[in-house]
């Protein structure tokens, strides 16, 4: 119990630090929100007036306090580009991206674990070379390059799937899945390559251990040894890496959603960055960092569930 | 000197060959190829597929893709190397101090680093670049800062491990100052880890530069980088897929080479990790 409390307190502290870093990074420039609302050619007096109204003349610490206070009370401000309140906008886009993240994780894990185990079982033979080389190639290609290949093949070439756009699952589930498939694949392929390498490395280590030899000596059949004894011990580390990859995924999602015109969180963040929509940049950067942190916390807690040897303390 | 076993494997040899070749292109291409060969427009051969006149085809302005990709190597490699160098210059002292001093300093620094790690590196780089204004120099700064926390974390772990070694204890007992211990006894022993990590970071930095430029928040024309070439190809994918394939392959080959080189280097320098993928 005290462990959970500890983690919650530590999480609060991290969230606070995330907000402080976000605020600091977005305030290192002389250009400000007033300038962005009125344009660089606006008259200086009107600009000064707007600055006063927006409170941009207050000390940074006061401005930061107001920003955090607003977020705590549910007032996230308005986007300058979309002219909409930020909080509902983020919620909607986060749902769209959530679909991509889940799909790509599912694609990556279902392929990477069998592939990695297969490579480890056949360590240093052709099967291993084939799987490892493919994985190596996978981590070496930029994911937007995967995206372009997928568009050329499945959208332009075969015409099976749409090359761009987003459909709300609430409106048309089938269309939503079809639109999410290519971007998820583009995200998932790179991820799969990382996880295959990780699974192979972990499994290679485990298969050399004593208890595996004992299990074999007991006459258990090989698949029980590999999957029940071996993989059970590899799940923890692989899951931790998968959790860490959520951060990587939320970086890639900006490029991939822009490429596929998939209007999710990454696309929104990109629009905010392009248009220097400071309030929206602050909010989306904060939310993404918070989600990544939460994902890692959840993985940490799950670790104890899969691996009973780990006692939470 | 004996060549380590790791570099006698197919992967190690291939890695060395690719890395040396790419570095050679980055250094010598600008000396051997006149700069205007990459900007000269052949209006009769716009979006031309590979031909004898243009072995790798041309882009939407009729510029030769082979020369563009060869000359673009320098920009991409330069940005990536400068960014990694920057992350080492900041991350190395940070990690060393954190790992060596320990206690409160370590707690505070690592809490900060862990928080920074919650920000996806690409998001951090994109944000910094957008805020500073995208250009070559700011792309370096953006990627450099974005990669620092990860490097600092790894160096801190290594410093912590080495600082507890008996020989460091012995050197301390012998009356060496902290500065001397760090620079003469700890630093040389964490260098293998730093070098391996730098090689891997270099691969990631090339991908990051490509990603940033692809989104228009990295290198800007007239500087030509591989990411920028892929970005320019977006509108012509249907008619001229080679405009994306040529620079994309250049990125892939370079990153693949660096990854293989990094793997071999790790196997050679860190016997504990041998056999790991």
């Amino acid at each position: 119990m005290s462990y959970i409390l500890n983690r919650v307190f530590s999480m609060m502290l991290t969230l606070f630090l995330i907000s402080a870093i976000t605020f600091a990074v977005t305030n290192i420039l002389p250009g400000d929100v007033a300038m962005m609302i009125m344009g660089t050619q606006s008259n200086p007096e009107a600009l000064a007036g707007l600055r006063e109204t927006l409170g941009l003349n207050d000390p940074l610490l006061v401005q930061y306090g107001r920003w955090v206070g607003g977020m705590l009370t549910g007032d996230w401000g308005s986007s300058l580009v979309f002219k909409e309140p930020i909080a509902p906008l983020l919620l909607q886009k986060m749902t769209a991206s959530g679909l991509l993240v889940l799909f790509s994780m599912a694609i990556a894990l279902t392929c990477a674990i069998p592939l990695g185990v297969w490579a480890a079982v056949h360590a240093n033979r052709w099967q291993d070379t084939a799987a490892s080389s493919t994985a190596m190639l996978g981590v070496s290609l930029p994911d937007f390059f995967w995206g372009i290949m997928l568009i050329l093949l499945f959208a332009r070439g075969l015409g099976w799937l749409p090359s761009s756009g987003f459909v709300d699952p609430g409106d048309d589930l089938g269309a939503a899945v079809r639109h999410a498939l290519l971007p998820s694949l583009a995200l998932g392929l790179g991820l799969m390559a990382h996880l295959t390498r990780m699974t192979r490395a972990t499994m290679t280590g485990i298969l050399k251990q004593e208890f595996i030899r004992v299990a074999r000596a007991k006459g258990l059949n090989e698949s029980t040894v590999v999957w029940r004894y071996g993989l059970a011990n590899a799940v923890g580390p692989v899951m931790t890496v998968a959790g860490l990859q959520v951060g990587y995924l939320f970086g890639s999602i900006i490029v991939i959603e822009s490429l596929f015109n998939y209007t999710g969180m990454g696309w929104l963040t990109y629009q905010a960055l392009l248009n220097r929509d400071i309030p929206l940049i602050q909010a989306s950067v904060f939310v993404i960092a918070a989600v990544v942190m939460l994902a890692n916390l959840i993985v940490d807690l799950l670790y104890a569930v899969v691996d009973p040897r780990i006692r939470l303390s | 000197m004996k060549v380590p076993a790791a570099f006698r494997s197919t992967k190690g040899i291939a890695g060395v060959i690719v890395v040396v070749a790419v570095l050679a292109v980055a250094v010598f291409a600008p000396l051997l190829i006149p700069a205007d060969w990459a900007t000269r427009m052949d209006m009769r051969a716009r979006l031309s597929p590979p031909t004898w006149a243009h072995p790798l085809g041309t882009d939407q302005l009729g510029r030769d893709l082979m020369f563009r990709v060869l000359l673009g190597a320098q920009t991409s490699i330069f940005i990536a190397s400068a960014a990694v160098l920057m992350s080492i210059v900041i991350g190395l002292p940070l990690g060393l101090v954190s790992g060596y001093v320990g206690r409160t300093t370590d707690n505070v620094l690592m809490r900060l680093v862990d928080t920074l790690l919650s920000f996806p590196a690409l998001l951090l780089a994109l944000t910094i670049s957008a805020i500073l204004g995208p250009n070559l120099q700011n792309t370096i700064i953006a990627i450099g800062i974005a990669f620092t926390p990860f490097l600092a974390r790894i160096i801190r772990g290594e410093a912590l491990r080495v600082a507890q070694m008996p020989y460091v204890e012995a050197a301390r007992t012998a009356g060496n100052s902290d500065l001397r211990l760090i620079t003469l006894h700890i630093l040389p022993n964490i260098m293998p880890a730093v070098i391996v990590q730098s090689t891997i970071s270099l691969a990631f930095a090339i991908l990051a530069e490509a990603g940033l430029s692809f989104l228009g928040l990295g290198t800007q024309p007239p500087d030509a980088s591989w990411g920028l070439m892929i970005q320019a190809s977006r509108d012509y994918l249907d008619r001229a897929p080679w405009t994306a394939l040529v620079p994309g392959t250049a990125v892939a080959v370079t990153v693949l080479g660096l990854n293989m080189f990094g793997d071999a280097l790790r196997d050679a320098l860190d016997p504990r990790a041998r056999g790991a993928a």
Side-chain angles (χ1 to χ4, degrees), chain A residues 70-90:
Chain A
M71 289 212 295
L72 286 174
T73 53
D75 173 19
W76 289 45
S78 282
S79 154
L80 303 179
V81 185
F82 296 95
K83 318 260 184 255
E84 271 180 66
I86 289 175
L89 193 63
L90 284 184

Side-chain angles (χ1 to χ4, degrees), chain A:
Chain A
M1 193 57 210
S2 72
Y3 171 77
I4 303 274
L5 277 178
N6 221 333
R7 283 309 291 255
V8 169
F9 175 73
S10 156
M11 189 187 85
M12 295 298 201
L13 186 66
T14 312
L15 274 179
F16 162 73
L17 278 173
I18 287 176
S19 75
I21 292 170
T22 308
F23 192 80
V25 169
T26 45
N27 272 291
I28 43 181
L29 241 215
D32 63 20
V33 178
M35 185 90 86
M36 273 154 221
I37 294 176
M38 307 195 57
T40 41
Q41 306 298 317
S42 54
N43 106 44
E45 278 156 42
L47 207 59
L50 184 63
R51 280 208 180 103
E52 196 54 49
T53 331
L54 292 173
L56 295 176
N57 294 330
D58 297 339
L60 271 186
L61 214 57
V62 175
Q63 293 189 41
Y64 171 66
R66 196 162 40 224
W67 181 59
V68 171
M71 289 212 295
L72 286 174
T73 53
D75 173 19
W76 289 45
S78 282
S79 154
L80 303 179
V81 185
F82 296 95
K83 318 260 184 255
E84 271 180 66
I86 289 175
L89 193 63
L90 284 184
L91 192 66
Q92 181 204 346
K93 302 296 179 200
M94 209 39 158
T95 327
S97 293
L99 199 63
L100 287 194
V101 171
L102 284 182
F103 270 20
S104 49
M105 263 298 171
I107 294 172
L109 283 172
T110 44
C111 301
I113 291 180
L115 203 60
V117 170
W118 188 63
V121 169
H122 300 97
N124 299 323
R125 275 183 281 160
W126 70 265
Q127 294 95 329
D128 179 26
T129 313
S132 300
S133 312
T134 315
M136 181 68 113
L137 187 68
V139 296
S140 302
L141 282 169
D143 21 31
F144 59 88
F145 192 71
W146 282 122
I148 290 176
M149 294 294 110
L150 291 170
I151 290 180
L152 284 175
L153 181 64
F154 290 106
R156 304 285 156 79
L158 299 166
W160 289 353
L161 292 164
S163 66
S164 75
F166 162 73
V167 174
D168 193 301
D171 295 341
D172 181 346
L173 191 62
V177 171
R178 264 184 286 124
H179 280 85
L181 217 50
L182 284 188
S184 305
L185 260 177
L187 287 169
L189 285 172
L191 195 63
M192 181 186 110
H194 275 288
L195 293 178
T196 304
R197 275 162 66 85
M198 183 62 202
T199 310
R200 181 199 170 274
T202 313
M203 274 303 275
T204 321
I206 288 171
L207 290 178
K208 281 182 194 146
Q209 286 184 26
E210 284 294 306
F211 73 93
I212 292 289
R213 277 177 57 189
V214 171
R216 281 192 182 128
K218 268 195 338 193
L220 292 176
N221 69 39
E222 189 60 20
S223 75
T224 314
V225 172
V226 171
W227 296 98
R228 271 194 53 88
Y229 286 60
L231 187 62
N233 285 283
V235 166
V238 170
M239 220 170 60
T240 303
V241 173
L244 288 174
Q245 295 295 331
V246 172
Y248 163 84
L249 217 50
F250 268 97
S252 307
I253 225 169
I254 302 173
V255 190
I256 292 298
E257 287 187 359
S258 306
L259 174 67
F260 285 91
N261 247 319
Y262 187 93
T263 50
M265 196 62 204
W267 177 86
L268 186 75
T269 310
Y270 178 52
Q271 295 304 320
L273 288 171
L274 266 191
N275 297 295
R276 315 232 298 186
D277 184 345
I278 303 263
L280 187 56
I281 295 180
Q282 288 174 335
S284 33
V285 170
F286 172 76
V287 165
I288 291 180
V291 167
V292 171
M293 186 209 65
L294 276 176
N296 285 308
L297 179 68
I298 292 172
V299 168
D300 267 8
L301 295 177
L302 275 181
Y303 206 124
V305 179
V306 234
D307 192 341
R309 283 172 307 184
I310 308 277
R311 281 282 143 257
L312 298 176
S313 57

